[in-house]
């Protein structure tokens, strides 16, 4: 292994407005921003901590993340949110971590959280991990978010349609005797919510869309002027049920869908229907991911392989211009969520470096990713946050 670059010659600032700067064979981008990560604290430190999550983010080129509230305690009151904020402060600011607050108490969908008190300290509201089942409750949450000027970020899942499913209700499930999750369990609630968002004027953001119907609904709603944005994750753009293996690292919610869904998501990314790419970085312990498709916990990690996987699968193949990918990973998430794009937040990549994605090298405690073993291009050589180097590639092999 050789070091192909001199990282100490990388500038520490990007000129205002520049998305890509090339210097000495290194490509420099604004620091990425992921609006959907699970850093698992407080409550589940064995899966991830604020520190290990931050290290994973920095290694993936991210300088800002938004942390989802399916925690213990759930940040549904000022005291509960304070517990999470203390952990964020203690983590030392390797990257900026913006907490979401919950929409409902305990994310149970029954009783609204203390939205008014939480609003000044939360980046947005979400019950991620759970869909808000009741339409009346969702309407009232949207009205309150609208008054507070906060985004409502929805995990859309109709529990009455899940029926014990854990992978896409498609050809693979049928052929291998697995229980499927139909696409309507996702697009049904999206259709409901888009109507409510139109009526209430709420700033509505749809988390991790995975199927073609969701993209079509959101495209139409944007045409009608609804204040809606959405994200998808790298695995929904690059993989489908044809890639499934009998392994827990292929189990996430929503599941990998069909080929037509994947293609529709790429099209939606290109035409602007999909505003941003978020990883839904969802670490679990090795044991929790060791029980195959049927028995593992839902969720895969994403921060440390998102850019190389997307760059290799979409940019080098000529599907997506590099500039567009950077926009979707660094610019549009910040614009929508009101996170400043700082000129001293950047990541530097050797785009010609070939890597095999090796979860054992991850900083994250979570190792489960469907991209394990994939050959990709792109190595993050440095991440700079607020002018300070927070990650730098070092060769492991000291024979060199
Ligand atoms: Zn979710």
């Amino acid at each position: 292994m050789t070091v192909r670059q001199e990282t100490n010659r990388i500038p520490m600032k990007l000129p205002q407005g520049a998305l890509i700067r090339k210097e000495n064979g290194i490509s420099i981008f604004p620091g990425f921003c992921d609006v959907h990560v699970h850093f698992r604290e407080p409550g589940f430190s064995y899966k991830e901590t604020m520190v290990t999550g931050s290290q994973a983010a920095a290694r993936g080129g991210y300088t800002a993340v938004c942390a989802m509230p399916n925690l213990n305690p759930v940040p549904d009151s000022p005291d509960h949110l304070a517990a999470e904020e203390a952990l964020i402060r203690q983590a030392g600011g390797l990257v900026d971590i913006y907490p979401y607050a919950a929409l409902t108490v305990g994310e149970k969908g029954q009783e609204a959280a203390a939205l008014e008190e939480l609003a000044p300290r939360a980046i947005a509201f979400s019950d991620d991990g759970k869909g808000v089942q009741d339409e009346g409750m969702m309407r009232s949450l949207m009205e309150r978010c609208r008054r507070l000027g906060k985004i409502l970020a929805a995990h859309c899942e109709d529990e009455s349609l899940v029926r014990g499913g854990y992978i896409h209700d498609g050809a693979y499930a049928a052929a291998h005797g697995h229980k499927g999750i139909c696409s309507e369990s996702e697009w049904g609630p999206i259709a409901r919510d888009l109507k409510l968002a139109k009526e209430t004027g709420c700033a509505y953001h749809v988390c991790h869309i995975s199927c073609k119907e969701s993209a079509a609904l959101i495209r139409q709603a944007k045409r009608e002027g609804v204040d809606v944005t959405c994200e998808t994750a790298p695995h929904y753009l690059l993989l489908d049920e044809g890639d499934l293996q009998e392994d827990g690292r292929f189990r996430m919610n929503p599941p990998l869908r069909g080929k037509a869904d994947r293609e529709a998501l790429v099209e939606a990314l290109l035409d602007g229907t999909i505003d941003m790419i978020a990883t839904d970085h969802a670490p679990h312990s090795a044991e929790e991911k060791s029980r195959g498709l049927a028995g593992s916990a839902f969720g895969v990690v994403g921060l440390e392989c998102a850019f190389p996987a997307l760059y290799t699968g979409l940019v080098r193949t000529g599907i997506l211009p590099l500039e567009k990918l950077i926009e979707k990973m660094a610019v549009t998430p910040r614009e929508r969520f009101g996170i400043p794009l700082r000129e001293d937040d950047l990541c530097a990549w050797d785009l010609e470096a070939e890597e095999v994605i090796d979860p054992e090298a991850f900083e994250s405690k979570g190792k489960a990713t469907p991209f394990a073993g994939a050959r990709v291009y792109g190595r993050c050589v440095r991440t700079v946050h607020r002018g300070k180097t927070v990650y730098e590639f070092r060769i492991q092999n000291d024979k060199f």
Side-chain angles (χ1 to χ4, degrees), residues 80-358:
H80 288 170
L81 179 57
E84 184 183 355
E85 287 169 334
L87 289 159
I88 291 173
R89 275 195 305 276
Q90 286 161 28
L94 209 57
V95 300
D96 291 323
I97 304 172
Y98 297 92
Y100 279 89
L103 283 164
T104 66
V105 174
E107 290 201 348
K108 293 188 192 309
Q110 304 294 321
E111 191 189 331
L115 306 184
E116 285 71 19
E117 292 165 84
L118 291 162
R121 288 153 57 185
I123 189 71
F125 287 103
S126 181
D127 268 3
D128 186 54
K130 287 262 201 183
V132 175
Q133 303 299 303
D134 184 75
E135 180 169 344
M137 171 60 79
M138 189 54 129
R139 178 190 294 277
S140 119
L141 292 168
M142 281 196 186
E143 282 165 351
R144 288 170 70 180
C145 285
R146 161 87 176 92
R147 279 201 299 275
L148 293 165
K150 301 301 278 191
I151 292 171
L152 188 156
H155 167 114
C156 289
E157 182 174 19
D158 180 340
E159 287 165 11
S160 72
L161 296 176
V162 176
R163 301 187 195 103
Y166 45 83
I167 61 170
H168 177 54
D169 188 15
Y172 187 94
H176 296 81
H178 286 297
K179 287 191 182 142
I181 306 174
C182 64
S183 297
E184 189 179 354
S185 66
E186 174 179 305
W187 64 255
I190 294 177
R192 177 200 74 180
D193 287 359
L194 288 169
K195 182 175 67 83
L196 295 175
K198 190 174 191 176
E199 289 167 17
T200 60
C202 170
Y204 178 62
H205 176 79
V206 192
C207 297
H208 46 53
I209 71 166
S210 70
C211 62
K212 56 185 189 300
E213 294 87 351
S214 301
L217 284 164
I218 293 164
R219 181 179 291 117
Q220 181 56 32
K222 285 186 168 189
R223 282 196 194 120
E224 291 169 17
V226 179
D227 185 1
V228 57
T229 50
C230 70
E231 71 194 35
T232 193
H235 39 276
Y236 305 119
L237 293 165
L238 299 169
L239 304 172
D240 57 49
E241 62 175 345
D243 299 295
L244 281 171
Q245 295 177 29
E246 293 295 321
D247 190 318
R249 67 192 173 88
F250 288 87
R251 175 168 160 148
M252 72 290 283
N253 186 19
L256 297 177
R257 301 286 185 186
K259 182 168 180 268
D261 295 295
R262 179 174 56 74
E263 288 169 352
L265 293 180
V266 172
E267 200 187 309
L269 186 72
L270 287 166
D271 76 8
T273 301
I274 295 176
D275 304 90
M276 63 195 80
I277 300 172
T279 66
D280 194 3
H281 178 85
H284 293 287
S285 73
E287 193 281 321
E288 289 167 324
K289 295 300 287 180
S290 70
R291 303 179 217 127
L293 288 175
S296 293
F298 283 111
V300 296
V301 294
L303 287 167
E304 292 171 81
C305 50
F307 179 80
L310 291 162
Y311 172 69
T312 305
L314 296 181
V315 177
R316 283 185 85 103
T317 49
I319 296 166
L320 186 74
L322 178 58
E323 185 131 338
K324 200 98 189 150
L325 178 59
I326 303 306
E327 254 177 53
K328 304 279 183 187
M329 294 182 73
V331 181
T332 45
R334 284 188 171 87
E335 283 173 355
R336 176 58 160 168
F337 285 77
I339 297 169
L341 179 60
R342 300 170 54 99
E343 57 176 17
D344 55 356
D345 276 8
L346 57 89
C347 55
W349 293 78
D350 179 350
L351 296 181
E352 294 308 314
E354 274 187 79
E355 298 261 14
V356 173
I357 292 175
D358 173 15

